């Protein structure tokens, strides 16, 4: 443990802490746009600037490790002014369209502009004016809203390990994008949506059929049902219907990550073609039936086929979405009851 | 007898290779016993190509501006034993400019053949590393560097011994040494000269530093735009290996072995910033890392790494061969030794000079550099490239040392000195450097990426006559913010050219904004060309030369310029023989 002074109060913190972590522990809010505890400190957005005694320039709390006797000031006029300047510069190259932006209400840039009193960007000049990338089937990228925090690139690289994204070009022309700006569809993107989940602004958003304000939705924490990993996710609901999902930010087992199914495959829940009862084909037409009727039919067909052609004429195929126990029983049914080893399942998510 | 042709990039560009070929032929044809050799750059770019003649008694005669004809004449004169009568022998004045210098890091440049290790060894080379390995511990080497007072010559001026020591003290057995040869300031070529003219000095300096910090592997990160430097480094490294200085147990003492390799950069200015350089070395996009941790703690692949620039390393063998005291005897209390400067811009004798620290700027520009080109008035000198600032005439007599230069708002930097005369518009000059940093910003951090662009836009506005009251204050405010809040050295110094020009030439900014005038008459949008009907003789030369037919008038009648069509190219002003065209 080391002793560190934050805003004239001394705290004991673990020696491998960053100043940002020390502030969090002390209950002091430090604004961040590019920080993500799971990723290597990036120190790019410069929102977390603090004053540290003995240091010539303002320092980024996200990357600076604590040291014994360090004295930090988190909200001096100089710091506040610097954060305001960062927001001013970002807003000067950002569409001022919070009124129609899907992210409004859960946008960090919007929240900080509110907190620091930045109404709009004060610099008049060139603004990024590029077409959106809508080539991915699940999410869109509005290039003009990107604030270059690099979280999408880094999560794709450091955690997802897909390396579909990069920072393209340099200086004012720099942008988080796929190589050569060829678009998501042309990239190695696997549509996991982890970039969308970490984007602090409205640059990366899931495709949605209806425009629904963030504050009109509810989030329900649950376990993903697609496979046995048990990823924690939040189902986003509106008027009792699921409209999307996102990873729970922290915690086991997925630490804020999801795959394409967890991120985007929720449409089936309210889909009009979703099967709600078993169907039995009678005279070439599928008709709704009760479970009992369906089971009776299955059992009779199995028996009939087994008698006529033998056990090995049958095969069973189960699902990775079932639990281990379900799958155990299923193979037992096929091996012990029906008498064949023809059994497999789709453990290929 | 020997003829030596200066074949640095500058000499070659001026025609040194051609001169070499002619000399070769002429020597062959004359049958005279004259050896022909090459060397690097002596620094007098304005006199290239330069050829030295050394007679049998060791007397040296220097010929300058050697074109094909002069080359032929030189051989004839040597054969006829009348070299002194050659009209291209260097003038006494130019000789004196060279004599005023003190050459430590450039000690061999323009003298020895960079592609011949024997010449380096004959001039005392590889003696320093022998002394280190045979007689000294690494700690003693660091102590010697401490005594010398050597500070990093790449720009920041951090004490070299301290960096060596930090890397040595850093825990771990795997350590690296990196030479930053990604010299990128516009108009700066100090390091190129060493790389091309004396590559062994760098190699020896790096071996010594490797021994001092405990690194057995070194990497030279050199910009790909220096092909000749890379070629000569490769030759030098192969020769050094052959002689047992690289990749072998040094002097059979069983103490130290050092390997060296070259990594060519890919053309990004920001890779001269040490952490961006490390990223690039590791194969990533060249963007800076936050500091701390410093490279001495976590550098190349996270291992303790020492990074210094070429000039710094080139000084090290001198220090270890002659003792730290010998180096410290040169210069001032706070800034020891010498510093190499690249003189460029509106100066008579542009080129490379190495002077003792503490020499005044006036002495460098006027004493050695010969003063301002075309004898115009001195206005300011930009020191430290785009990261530096301008120093106006009132500070011409300050000594060149780290503290004094920093006080003016400029920085020592790596050694660029761009001289500006009275016809330079300071707003335009600041715009030029801002344009450079803005384009070279990596785009990682917000202040530098967005801020430099906004500053540039404001400067463009001002030079186009669209400046508004309050712009100067906004520039100052934004500039100070960018300097204090940016991630790396590039951003932290990007505003310096603007801040210093505002500090010393605020009236020029005000003239642009308030009066819509450019006092130096450089900003085209603010100029009006008019013809004085009293002086105009109606010779029609202006009208005939105007590329946009903006000038009308009949023969022998005063002409007129239509300001709506005029593109302010200045052609009429140039061609008028009666001084009738005026610019306001």
């Amino acid at each position: 443990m080391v002793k560190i002074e934050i805003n004239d109060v001394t705290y004991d913190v673990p020696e491998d802490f960053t100043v940002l972590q020390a502030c969090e522990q002390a209950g002091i809010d430090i604004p961040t746009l590019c920080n993500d505890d799971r990723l290597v400190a990036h120190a790019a957005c410069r929102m977390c600037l603090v004053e540290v005694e003995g240091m010539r320039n303002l320092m980024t709390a996200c990357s600076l490790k604590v040291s014994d006797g360090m004295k930090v000031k988190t909200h001096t006029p100089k710091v506040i002014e610097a954060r305001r300047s960062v927001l001013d510069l970002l807003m000067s190259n950002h569409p001022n369209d919070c009124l129609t932006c899907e992210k409004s209400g859960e946008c960090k840039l919007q929240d900080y502009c509110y907190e620091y009193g930045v109404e709009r960007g004060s610099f008049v000049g060139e603004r990024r004016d590029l077409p959106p990338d809508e080539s991915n089937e699940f999410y869109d990228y509005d290039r003009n809203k990107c604030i270059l925090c690099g979280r999408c690139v880094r999560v794709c690289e450091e955690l997802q390990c897909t390396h579909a994204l990069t920072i393209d070009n340099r200086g004012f022309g720099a942008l988080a994008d796929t190589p050569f700006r060829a678009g998501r569809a042309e990239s190695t993107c696997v549509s996991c949506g982890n970039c969308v989940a970490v984007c602090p602004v409205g640059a990366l958003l899931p495709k949605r059929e209806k425009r629904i304000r963030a504050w009109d939705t509810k989030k329900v924490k649950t376990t993903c049902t697609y496979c046995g990993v048990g990823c924690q996710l939040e189902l986003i609901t509106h008027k009792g219907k699921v409209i999307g999902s996102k990873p729970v930010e922290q915690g086991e087992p997925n630490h804020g990550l999801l795959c394409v199914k967890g991120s985007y495959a929720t449409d089936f829940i309210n889909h009009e073609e979703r099967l709600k009862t078993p169907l039995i084909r009678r005279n070439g037409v599928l008709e709704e039936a009760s479970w009992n009727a369906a089971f009776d039919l299955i059992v009779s067909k199995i028996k009939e086929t087994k008698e006529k052609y033998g056990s090995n004429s049958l095969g069973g195929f189960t699902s990775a979405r079932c639990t281990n126990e379900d799958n155990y029983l299923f193979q037992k049914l096929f091996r012990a009851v029906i008498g064949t080893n023809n059994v497999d399942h789709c453990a290929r998510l | 007898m020997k003829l030596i042709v200066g074949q640095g990039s500058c000499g070659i560009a001026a025609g040194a290779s051609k001169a070499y070929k002619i000399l070769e032929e002429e020597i062959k044809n004359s049958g005279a016993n004259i050896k022909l050799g090459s060397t690097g750059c002596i620094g007098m770019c304005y006199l290239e190509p330069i050829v030295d003649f050394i007679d049998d008694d060791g007397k040296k005669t220097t010929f300058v501006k050697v074109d094909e004809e002069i080359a032929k004449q030189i051989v004839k004169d040597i054969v006829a034993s009348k070299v002194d009568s050659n009209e291209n022998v260097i003038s006494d004045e130019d000789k004196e400019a060279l004599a005023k210098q003190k050459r430590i890091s450039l000690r061999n440049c323009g003298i020895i053949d960079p592609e011949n290790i024997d010449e380096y060894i004959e001039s005392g080379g590889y003696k320093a590393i022998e002394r280190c390995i045979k007689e000294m511990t690494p700690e003693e080497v660091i102590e010697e560097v401490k005594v010398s007072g050597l500070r990093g010559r790449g720009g920041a001026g951090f004490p070299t011994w301290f960096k060596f020591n930090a890397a040595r003290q850093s825990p771990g057995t795997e350590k690296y040494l990196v030479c930053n040869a990604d010299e990128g300031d516009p108009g700066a070529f100090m390091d190129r000269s060493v790389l091309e003219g004396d590559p062994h000095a760098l190699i020896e300096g790096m071996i010594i530093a490797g021994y001092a910090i405990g690194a057995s592997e070194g990497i030279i990160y050199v910009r790909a735009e220096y092909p000749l430097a890379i070629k000569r480094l490769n030759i030098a490294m192969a020769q050094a290996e052959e002689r047992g200085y690289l990749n072998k147990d040094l002097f059979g003492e069983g103490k130290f072995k050092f390997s060296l390799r070259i990594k060519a950069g890919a053309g990004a200015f920001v890779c001269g910033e040490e952490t961006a350089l490390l990223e690039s070395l590791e194969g990533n996009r060249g963007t800076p890392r936050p500091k701390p941790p410093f490279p001495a703690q976590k550098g190349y692949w996270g291992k303790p790494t020492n990074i210094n620039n070429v000039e710094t390393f080139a000084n090290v063998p001198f220090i270890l061969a002659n003792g730290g005291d010998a180096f410290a005897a040169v210069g001032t209390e706070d800034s020891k030794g010498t510093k190499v400067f690249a003189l460029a811009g509106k100066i008579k004798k542009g080129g490379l000079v190495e002077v003792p620290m503490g020499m005044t700027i006036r002495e460098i520009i006027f004493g050695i550099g010969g003063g301002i080109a075309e004898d115009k008035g001195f206005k300011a000198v930009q020191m430290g490239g785009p990261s530096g600032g301008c120093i106006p005439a009132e500070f011409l007599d300050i000594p060149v040392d780290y503290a004094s230069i920093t006080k003016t708002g400029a920085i020592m930097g790596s050694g660029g000195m761009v001289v500006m005369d009275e016809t330079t518009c300071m707003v335009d000059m600041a715009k030029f450097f801002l344009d450079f940093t803005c384009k070279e910003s990596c785009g990682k951090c917000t202040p530098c990426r967005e801020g430099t662009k906004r500053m540039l836009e404001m400067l463009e506005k001002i030079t186009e006559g669209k400046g508004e009251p309050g712009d100067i204050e906004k520039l100052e405010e934004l500039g100070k913010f960018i300097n204090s809040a940016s991630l790396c050295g590039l951003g932290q110094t990007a505003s310096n050219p603007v801040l210093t020009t505002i500090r010393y030439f605020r009236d020029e900014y005000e003239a642009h904004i308030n009066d819509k005038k450019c006092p130096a008459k450089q900003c085209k949008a603010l100029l009006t060309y008019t013809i004085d009907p009293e002086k105009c003789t109606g010779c029609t030369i202006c009208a005939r030369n105007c590329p946009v037919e903006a000038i009308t008038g009949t023969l022998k009648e005063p002409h007129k310029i239509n300001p709506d069509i005029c593109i302010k190219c200045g052609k009429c002003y140039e061609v008028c023989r009666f001084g009738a065209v005026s610019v306001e």
Side-chain angles (χ1 to χ4, degrees), chain B residues 47-85:
Chain B
L47 296 177
E48 295 284 1
I50 298 173
V51 175
D52 279 339
F53 170 63
I54 296 161
D55 67 17
D56 290 332
D57 302 327
K59 185 179 166 247
K60 187 165 100 174
T61 312
T62 302
F63 301 97
V64 301
K65 298 187 179 172
V66 181
D67 61 19
E68 291 173 40
E69 288 308 307
I70 305 296
K72 285 178 188 163
Q73 191 60 39
I74 289 172
V75 178
K76 275 183 203 153
D77 288 346
I78 293 172
V79 173
S81 298
K82 51 167 191 162
V83 286
D84 291 336
S85 69

Side-chain angles (χ1 to χ4, degrees), chain B residues 171-242:
Chain B
T173 49
E174 196 183 329
K175 294 177 185 180
Y176 293 95
L177 188 70
V178 175
C179 173
N180 182 349
D182 194 45
E183 186 171 52
D185 285 358
F189 47 96
M190 297 73 59
D191 293 345
R192 195 194 69 212
S193 185
V194 175
L195 296 168
E196 289 178 0
D198 194 13
H200 287 287
L202 171 65
I203 295 170
E204 188 181 3
M206 287 188 75
I207 303 173
I208 295 169
Y211 176 65
I213 69 167
S216 57
E217 191 181 337
I219 306 150
I220 305 172
Y221 188 92
V222 54
R223 60 186 310 196
E225 295 88 339
Y226 283 177
L228 184 64
I230 294 174
K231 182 189 152 205
R232 291 197 176 149
L233 265 177
N234 274 318
I235 293 171
M237 278 160 53
Q239 290 174 344
E241 183 171 358
E242 207 174 279

Side-chain angles (χ1 to χ4, degrees), chain A residues 44-46 126 148 167 169 171, chain B residues 285 441 453-454 457 485-486:
Chain A
C45 72
R46 317 305 281 181
E126 191 182 333
L148 272 296
I167 299 288
N169 208 334
Chain B
R285 179 182 159 86
S441 163
K453 173 75 176 176
R454 299 308 171 204
E457 284 175 341
S486 291

